[in-house]
Amino acid sequence: MKIYVVNGPNINMLGIREPNIYGTETYGYLVSLINNKAKEMNIDVEIYQSNIEGELVNIIQKAYFEKADGIIINPAGYTHTSVAILDALKAVTLPIIEVHISNIDNRDDFRKISLTSIACVKTIIGHGLNGYTEALE
């Protein structure tokens, strides 16, 4: 089984950006957490992060063309704004789980709207970095 993990803008700034919201663990720690859980579950993972919307669209399409079994995505700030990412997720017809480290329902009003969740079979919010391992399970 092969899963693509796709992270949007500023996820690379974990541990630096608003630690009161996102915690103090780094992006490197997140990558290790995902890799360790995937190894335990015998899942092949490809982990990506980009701050650029078009690159995220390309990665989503790559998951389709490389015959991934599913996608775990944290679109970050693009969650609330990107029709392009939503369209890419809908186009690939793969099972997709959306993950948000923080509880977007308890934040700014604009963060309560997730365009990308329309294409997802499940959304995990507010479980911190463990949301990624839950998504793998």
Side-chain angles (χ1 to χ4, degrees), residues 6-9 49-50 52-60 78 85:
V6 182
N7 289 294
Q49 187 279 325
S50 179
I52 301 169
E53 183 178 30
E55 287 182 4
L56 295 170
V57 169
N58 287 341
I59 293 164
I60 292 163
Y78 290 131
I85 291 174

Side-chain angles (χ1 to χ4, degrees), residues 43-119:
I43 297 172
D44 182 23
V45 292
E46 295 281 338
I47 304 171
Y48 298 92
Q49 187 279 325
S50 179
N51 298 316
I52 301 169
E53 183 178 30
E55 287 182 4
L56 295 170
V57 169
N58 287 341
I59 293 164
I60 292 163
Q61 291 177 4
K62 181 179 178 184
Y64 174 81
F65 289 115
E66 291 192 359
K67 302 198 184 318
D69 296 295
I71 297 173
I72 296 169
I73 187 166
N74 182 343
Y78 290 131
T79 300
H80 325 289
T81 63
S82 182
V83 173
I85 291 174
L86 169 61
D87 287 348
L89 293 171
K90 288 167 66 176
V92 298
T93 63
L94 294 169
I96 302 160
I97 297 178
E98 182 177 75
V99 172
H100 294 285
I101 297 165
S102 69
N103 186 340
I104 60 175
D105 289 338
N106 291 335
R107 296 189 61 200
D108 312 282
D109 285 343
F110 73 89
R111 292 186 196 274
K112 295 175 184 174
I113 299 168
S114 171
L115 297 179
T116 50
S117 69
I118 294 167

